[in-house]
Amino acid sequence: MNKKSLEEIAQKMVADGKGILAADESTGTIKKRFDTIALESTEDNRRDYREMLFRSDEAMQSAISGVILYDETIRQKAADGTTLVSLIERAGSIPGIKVDAGAKDMAGHPNEKVTEGLDGLRERLEEYFKLGARFAKWRAVINIGDGIPSRACITANTHALARYAALCQENGIVPIVEPEVIMDAPHTVETCYEVTSSVLTALYAQLDEQNVHLEGSILKPNMIVSGTECPTQASVQQVAEMTLDCFNKCVPQAVPGIVFLSGGQSDELATAHLDAMNKMGPHRWKISFSYGRALQAAPLKTWGGKPENIIAAQAAFTHRAAMNKLAALGEWDANLEKG
């Protein structure tokens, strides 16, 4: 493990005003996205869509520090024969790769998930490094419900995250550790705070046990938000204050950056929450974004699978990237969305 190299990559991933584009939708997930625009999910259509995003030069160069790819995408070539990895690198962004095998039902624990994918991971990471990946992502799923999450679920998922992170660093790849507390439930913002605190505390204990170099890692967590079905939704300011309070107590200062997931929030709300946190800075770590749907929903809808819409779709992507760049700097304002 070359600690200096890992630290340099991690710092680039959280450069001022830049965040990460999550373009790592599985084949099943991207099909659901394409269904919304009545487009068949073929390999060429998936390639064309991602190529359109990666060729959005203004967005990529000014606001996107890295792109998380799916196994299919990291191997694909653009229509002109250029590898998609090369397009990302040309824009000054860092290629990354999703390496987990998905969240599966946890045996003996109804309604809980555990993420699989550790078997053969060392060899896969070696191949991904050769394909150009310099960071990776592994997502754990933590559901809130009656009597859950259990201690067993939290332990199993954070242990897997730590083992994944150690393997990444062994192979010169910066690990993004993503423990996502799911917001699709009726729980209060206070419950989200309690569960997220427990998960983060367990995560950093496990990372310590596995000798993970924190300065060469990035955290991708949920924000502290009310469950989607909770009748009382926390305000933007309350979300920002509770999120920062939780993370100040649970996340070591050695971590270079926290890149939040949007987790089903609307585009603008995800931006507003990020901005509110950064307006309360400076913080002990960089606070930025690693958004998938919150960056892609607008360009996907605008594109609609039609070549004649590419320029308009790229403009929609560039707008969302610009808004989140401002939020990462604490300089966003809702009035800018109208422009």
Side-chain angles (χ1 to χ4, degrees):
M1 173 170 56
N2 183 333
K3 290 184 178 180
K4 188 170 185 298
S5 173
L6 291 169
E7 289 171 14
E8 287 173 355
I9 295 165
Q11 290 294 340
K12 286 179 185 172
M13 288 167 68
V14 289
D16 289 345
K18 289 195 172 187
I20 293 166
L21 168 64
D24 59 332
E25 300 89 357
S26 66
T27 308
T29 300
I30 198 77
K31 180 187 182 300
K32 291 176 188 172
R33 302 275 192 272
F34 281 5
D35 284 347
T36 66
I37 58 167
L39 181 69
E40 188 183 356
S41 181
T42 64
E43 187 173 343
D44 282 353
N45 283 340
R46 294 191 292 270
R47 187 270 320 272
D48 290 347
Y49 172 59
R50 264 100 180 217
E51 179 181 348
M52 174 188 75
L53 295 175
F54 304 159
R55 287 192 188 275
S56 301
D57 292 340
E58 184 182 343
M60 292 290 293
Q61 291 170 14
S62 70
I64 306 298
S65 61
V67 181
I68 312 171
L69 302 171
Y70 186 59
D71 180 78
E72 174 186 81
T73 320
I74 200 171
R75 305 173 191 278
Q76 282 181 318
K77 291 182 178 176
D80 66 1
T82 310
T83 65
L84 295 186
V85 165
S86 297
L87 291 182
I88 294 165
E89 291 172 338
R90 280 185 200 172
S93 293
I94 305 167
I97 181 72
K98 165 193 158 80
V99 299
D100 66 69
K104 308 293 169 67
D105 290 341
M106 186 172 175
H109 291 268
N111 302 317
E112 296 198 277
K113 303 283 185 182
V114 64
T115 301
E116 298 181 351
L118 287 171
D119 287 356
L121 182 56
R122 176 180 273 120
E123 292 74 23
R124 285 188 288 131
L125 287 165
E126 288 171 2
E127 181 189 14
Y128 286 138
F129 187 90
K130 289 174 185 170
L131 288 169
R134 291 299 176 266
F135 72 92
K137 190 202 83 166
W138 177 292
R139 174 176 176 251
V141 173
I142 308 293
N143 289 320
I144 295 179
D146 188 17
I148 62 171
S150 64
R151 172 54 52 187
C153 173
I154 292 174
T155 301
N157 276 293
T158 55
H159 177 74
L161 275 165
R163 288 182 58 198
Y164 139 83
L167 283 165
C168 284
Q169 293 188 336
E170 176 187 274
N171 285 282
I173 289 174
V174 170
I176 291 182
V177 288
E178 180 180 359
E180 180 178 1
V181 176
I182 303 296
M183 63 188 286
D184 300 332
H187 59 263
T188 63
V189 69
E190 289 81 10
T191 299
C192 180
Y193 181 106
E194 290 168 18
V195 172
T196 303
S197 296
S198 297
V199 171
L200 290 173
T201 301
L203 173 64
Y204 282 100
Q206 292 281 358
L207 290 168
D208 182 60
E209 283 188 10
Q210 298 299 327
N211 294 326
V212 172
H213 182 56
L214 294 186
E215 290 85 351
S217 71
I218 299 290
L219 176 64
K220 178 175 177 174
N222 55 282
M223 298 177 192
I224 306 300
V225 293
S226 311
T228 50
E229 299 161 34
C230 180
T232 308
Q233 292 289 310
S235 67
V236 169
Q237 191 60 28
Q238 188 181 2
V239 167
E241 289 173 2
M242 291 184 74
T243 302
L244 289 172
D245 185 67
C246 176
F247 284 70
N248 276 314
K249 289 174 179 170
C250 301
V251 181
Q253 191 167 349
V255 175
I258 297 173
V259 291
F260 283 99
L261 55 89
S262 49
Q265 299 176 47
S266 70
D267 301 359
E268 197 169 318
L269 190 57
T271 305
H273 284 148
L274 178 65
D275 177 70
M277 282 186 262
N278 279 309
K279 277 184 165 62
M280 295 163 68
H283 303 294
R284 61 171 75 175
W285 354 251
K286 297 283 185 64
I287 292 181
S288 192
F289 59 91
S290 177
Y291 293 165
R293 200 202 48 73
L295 278 171
Q296 293 186 49
L300 178 67
K301 186 178 178 182
T302 305
W303 176 56
K306 297 180 174 67
E308 62 268 27
N309 293 338
I310 285 177
I311 291 174
Q314 288 177 326
F317 175 51
T318 300
H319 175 70
R320 287 267 40 94
M323 293 298 97
N324 285 302
K325 177 187 180 73
L326 290 172
L329 296 168
E331 297 172 3
W332 176 81
D333 185 284
N335 292 321
L336 297 169
E337 293 288 351
K338 300 180 184 74

